[in-house]
Amino acid sequence: MSFPYTLVTLVFLSMLPVTMIVPVVKDVIKDRLAGSNWDVAFFTSIPMLGSFLFAPVAGILSDKLQTRKYLISLFCFIDAGLFYLLTLVTDLQYFLLVRFLEGAAHIFIIGLLLSSAADRENDPTNSRYYGKGILMGITGMFLSLGGAAGMPLGILGGKNPLVPFYVGSGILIFIGISSLILLKDRGIQKHKEFHWQDLKLAFLKNPYLLVPFLFNFTDRFTVGFIISSFNIHLRETLQFHPGMLGVFLGLVLFPMSLLSYPSSILSRKTGVLPLVLSGSVLYGIFLGLAGTTNNFWTLFTFLLICGIGAGVMFVPSMMLASKLSSPGLTATTMSAFTGIGSLGFMLGPIISVQMAGFFNSTLPKEYSFSALSFFFGFLEIGLVCLTIPFFKKINQKLNRIKEDREKISLASPSPIV
């Protein structure tokens, strides 16, 4: 089976609109719409609420209809229209409502593109990719590479902060057309009609699914801090312009993208869980340290190492969720996995602003942001400590699920439509 070049390209492109608007958040919310730091937090949080609520819907609908491409294409056009609408609305409340709907539309795109990759990765008849981590590794690399490449594109909003929204809308239209024409549905497993009770039973039978879900929640929770409070810190305290801000935030995403494929290959020898744990520790430590310095090169180094840690654990956490998913519920599990990450992303900015106020009121000003950064960084380390006692049992469960998938493949020689 040929390599899915179209799929990974669309994954890359789908992330550009999401991150190219991050460097101009302050300009749009605080300057153009006269908002506050809380409004900045809501701007970054509320699309994640839409993602969280509609991610399961995307997976369930796609599993029931046995298609990915048509839903991806449809919601690309919807998302493009909402991106453009954001440039027209000047009332802050309506602006945030449109932003909520945009997040709901975008999760169909991202969630189902990831599901398409997981379909092939978990297809026992596909000997090239099955159980090898290759496709998920490459997909994860292009996902994070798209996010990283989008950050510096914030420089497009240097003179007009609405330009990244126009460009993002055009990119989404292109993705929608390309998906409709070029994307193919392959490896979607037939299964019984899905009910919410099925997912509940899947968690009851396999509670270790909570592990990748918790890591994804925490990872995105900390990213919510980075693109809101840390974003404002760099713009207002360190006086970074949008282009420089995009470069520094990209330091976290570029190593993550470059290390995604190597980490997936390394997981063949180490397993996915050790990489999730070790990468999370590295990421957490240097995220905490990043808030302690105003020195240009020290901050550059801390964020770069933080990105290396993210690169080590990013794809393995996706692979862990995929490998622990029940046969026939891949799209539902991966969309729910994406959705729980969106919930973390939603809460991260809000909690970061609230915690910033707490630290500002209880600590000297020169230490308040450092405390905030350490608070978010060491959430990762705490989760690692909670997971280590279950290390052996999780690996045993992974082996049993792999055996179950192979038995299903032998019992049903043609499970693919």
Side-chain angles (χ1 to χ4, degrees):
M1 186 176 290
S2 61
F3 182 77
Y5 293 102
T6 299
L7 176 61
V8 296
T9 301
L10 294 179
V11 167
F12 171 83
L13 292 174
S14 68
M15 287 301 297
L16 293 179
V18 176
T19 56
M20 70 168 54
I21 65 174
V22 171
V24 297
V25 167
K26 171 190 172 295
D27 308 84
V28 172
I29 300 298
K30 299 188 74 173
D31 300 339
R32 180 172 180 264
L33 300 178
S36 64
N37 285 354
W38 277 105
D39 294 316
V40 171
F42 285 128
F43 175 80
T44 54
S45 294
I46 203 166
M48 297 304 107
L49 176 60
S51 296
F52 175 71
L53 293 176
F54 284 88
V57 177
I60 293 168
L61 188 60
S62 180
D63 280 345
K64 287 175 67 70
L65 297 178
Q66 290 286 289
T67 183
R68 312 283 194 240
K69 65 176 286 184
Y70 293 112
L71 290 174
I72 291 170
S73 182
L74 172 63
F75 281 91
C76 277
F77 297 133
I78 294 174
D79 200 15
L82 292 169
F83 249 81
Y84 183 74
L85 188 57
L86 286 171
T87 68
L88 303 177
V89 177
T90 55
D91 181 273
L92 189 56
Q93 291 184 336
Y94 287 114
F95 186 86
L96 293 176
L97 174 61
V98 175
R99 180 70 166 147
F100 166 81
L101 297 174
E102 187 277 321
H106 201 80
I107 198 61
F108 273 80
I109 303 167
I110 296 293
L112 296 182
L113 284 171
L114 291 178
S115 296
S116 296
D119 285 335
R120 300 195 185 192
E121 189 94 316
N122 290 329
D123 175 11
T125 67
N126 184 355
S127 59
R128 180 175 182 181
Y129 300 122
Y130 175 62
K132 297 179 180 179
I134 295 175
L135 189 52
M136 287 300 288
I138 295 175
T139 303
M141 179 178 71
F142 276 84
L143 181 74
S144 55
L145 186 61
M151 286 289 187
L153 291 178
I155 197 172
L156 295 172
K159 293 184 178 180
N160 181 358
L162 297 180
V163 170
F165 290 86
Y166 297 135
V167 175
S169 180
I171 290 173
L172 287 165
I173 291 174
F174 176 79
I175 296 172
I177 295 172
S178 300
S179 299
L180 194 60
I181 297 174
L182 301 175
L183 199 62
K184 296 183 189 226
D185 287 330
R186 292 176 180 171
I188 303 176
Q189 296 181 4
K190 290 182 178 179
H191 56 83
K192 65 178 183 178
E193 183 178 355
F194 177 82
H195 298 283
W196 279 105
Q197 190 68 17
D198 295 335
L199 189 57
K200 179 181 177 181
L201 290 174
F203 273 96
L204 290 175
K205 291 173 65 175
N206 181 17
Y208 298 117
L209 261 177
L210 289 172
V211 172
F213 276 56
L214 285 173
F215 271 100
N216 196 35
F217 174 87
T218 305
D219 297 341
R220 299 293 295 278
F221 186 75
T222 60
V223 172
F225 156 70
I226 292 173
I227 68 168
S228 58
S229 295
F230 198 82
N231 182 336
I232 294 172
H233 172 72
L234 294 181
R235 288 296 307 274
E236 297 184 345
T237 304
L238 302 187
Q239 299 295 309
F240 281 20
H241 59 75
M244 184 61 69
L245 172 67
V247 170
F248 267 68
L249 295 184
L251 288 173
V252 178
L253 294 177
F254 272 116
M256 185 166 69
S257 62
L258 295 176
L259 291 175
S260 291
Y261 181 69
S263 67
S264 67
I265 299 302
L266 182 61
S267 69
R268 297 186 202 174
K269 295 184 178 180
T270 65
V272 292
L273 190 54
L275 296 180
V276 172
L277 299 180
S278 59
S280 295
V281 169
L282 191 64
Y283 173 76
I285 289 175
F286 283 91
L287 177 60
L289 290 174
T292 65
T293 180
N294 292 338
N295 181 272
F296 184 93
W297 288 111
T298 303
L299 178 60
F300 185 98
T301 303
F302 285 166
L303 289 176
L304 181 62
I305 299 176
C306 182
I308 291 172
V312 171
M313 57 86 165
F314 173 58
V315 168
S317 66
M318 290 172 55
M319 294 171 63
L320 187 61
S322 175
K323 290 176 181 293
L324 287 172
S325 65
S326 301
L329 289 175
T330 298
T332 302
T333 299
M334 293 307 294
S335 292
F337 174 79
T338 306
I340 200 68
S342 298
L343 178 62
F345 207 164
M346 177 189 72
L347 295 176
I350 297 173
I351 299 299
S352 73
V353 172
Q354 186 173 15
M355 292 302 298
F358 171 77
F359 287 128
N360 284 333
S361 63
T362 57
L363 295 174
K365 185 177 181 180
E366 60 268 26
Y367 299 119
S368 61
F369 189 79
S370 299
L372 180 65
S373 188
F374 270 107
F375 170 79
F376 280 88
F378 281 91
L379 287 176
E380 292 277 346
I381 298 172
L383 184 56
V384 169
C385 294
L386 290 174
T387 305
I388 288 175
F390 302 98
F391 184 91
K392 184 176 180 180
K393 291 183 178 179
I394 294 171
N395 279 328
Q396 290 173 342
K397 189 66 176 179
L398 285 168
N399 291 331
R400 286 197 293 270
I401 291 176
K402 182 177 181 181
E403 292 172 358
D404 290 343
R405 291 184 184 277
E406 292 170 350
K407 289 178 182 178
I408 292 173
S409 175
L410 292 174
S412 304
S414 301
I416 307 304
V417 295

